[in-house]
Amino acid sequence: MKDAFKINTKTIVATGLGAALFAVLFMFVKIPTGIPETQIQTAYGIGAFFAALFGPIAGAAIAFIGHAVSDSVQYGSAWWSWVVASGVSCFIVGLVMPKLHVEEGSFGKQDVLLFNVFQIIGNAIAWIIVAPVLDIVVYSEPVNLVFTQGVVAAISNAVSMGVIGSLLLLLYSKTKSSKGSLSTED
C-alpha cells in the first residue's frame, strides 16, 4: 500500500495534467440530470483514471484542484463542500492503485470489478455523506435538498467513473507490455 502514497516527478506532472483536464471537462462536458446543480460529470471518469494509475494523493489533488478551478472560473468562487467531496471520491479510488495490474498490461475482469467496487464506495462516501453534511454545516442548506443532490451525484459520478474510467484503464493497459509477453528466439 505504501506505493500508493509515493510521490515523484511523474506523479506531479500527472496531477497537473489531470487537474487541467478535470477542470475543462467539468466546465464543458456534462449531462443534465434534472436535479438542480447536479449533472453527470465526465471529469470524474478522468479523475478516477488518473487516481487508479497514480494513487490517492494524485487522485485527491486532481479532483480537488480541478473542481475548485472550475467553480472559481464559472461562478467566481468554489462551492467548498463539493470540492472537498470531489477530492475524497478520487482519493478513495486511488487506494485501488497497488491492487490493479494496469501497468503490467492487464485490466481483466478482476481488475474491473475491484476498480468499480472502490469507485462506488468512494462516490457513496463523498456524495451521500461528505458533501451533504458539509453543505448543511458550512452553507446551512436544506437537508432534503442536499441529500437528494448527493444521491444523484453519487449515482451519476459512479456511472461516469465506471464507464469512462474503466474504458480508459482498459485502453491504457493495452499500451503496456504484459508480463512474460516477450520471448527470446533460440
Side-chain angles (χ1 to χ4, degrees), residues 165-184:
S166 294
L167 283 173
L168 289 173
L169 288 166
L170 177 64
L171 292 172
Y172 180 78
S173 73
K174 300 287 185 204
T175 69
K176 300 294 185 180
S177 296
S178 56
K179 193 174 182 178
S181 67
L182 299 177
S183 60
T184 58

Side-chain angles (χ1 to χ4, degrees), residues 134-150:
L134 289 177
D135 274 349
I136 294 164
V137 171
V138 175
Y139 298 109
S140 301
E141 289 288 312
V143 172
N144 56 345
L145 172 66
V146 295
F147 282 102
T148 301
Q149 288 176 323

Side-chain angles (χ1 to χ4, degrees), residues 10-145:
K10 188 176 168 182
T11 305
I12 293 168
V13 170
T15 300
L17 176 63
L21 281 169
F22 192 99
V24 169
L25 289 172
F26 205 82
M27 287 189 280
F28 300 113
V29 187
K30 52 191 168 190
I31 303 163
T33 62
I35 304 294
E37 300 303 319
T38 310
Q39 297 89 23
I40 296 173
Q41 290 284 358
T42 59
Y44 288 106
I46 292 291
F49 169 70
F50 277 95
L53 291 179
F54 298 99
I57 303 295
I62 287 166
F64 184 91
I65 294 166
H67 193 150
V69 166
S70 172
D71 275 8
S72 297
V73 168
Q74 289 184 99
Y75 309 115
S77 66
W79 192 264
W80 292 108
S81 55
W82 282 50
V83 170
V84 169
S86 287
V88 167
S89 70
C90 286
F91 178 89
I92 293 169
V93 173
L95 294 173
V96 77
M97 184 264 272
K99 298 174 183 336
L100 297 180
H101 301 98
V102 177
E103 292 294 342
E104 292 99 39
S106 173
F107 190 64
K109 291 177 184 174
Q110 201 67 17
D111 292 313
V112 173
L113 179 64
L114 198 56
F115 169 74
N116 280 290
V117 165
F118 272 76
Q119 68 90 359
I120 289 168
I121 291 168
N123 278 304
I125 291 170
W127 303 111
I128 299 173
I129 299 169
V130 174
V133 169
L134 289 177
D135 274 349
I136 294 164
V137 171
V138 175
Y139 298 109
S140 301
E141 289 288 312
V143 172
N144 56 345
L145 172 66

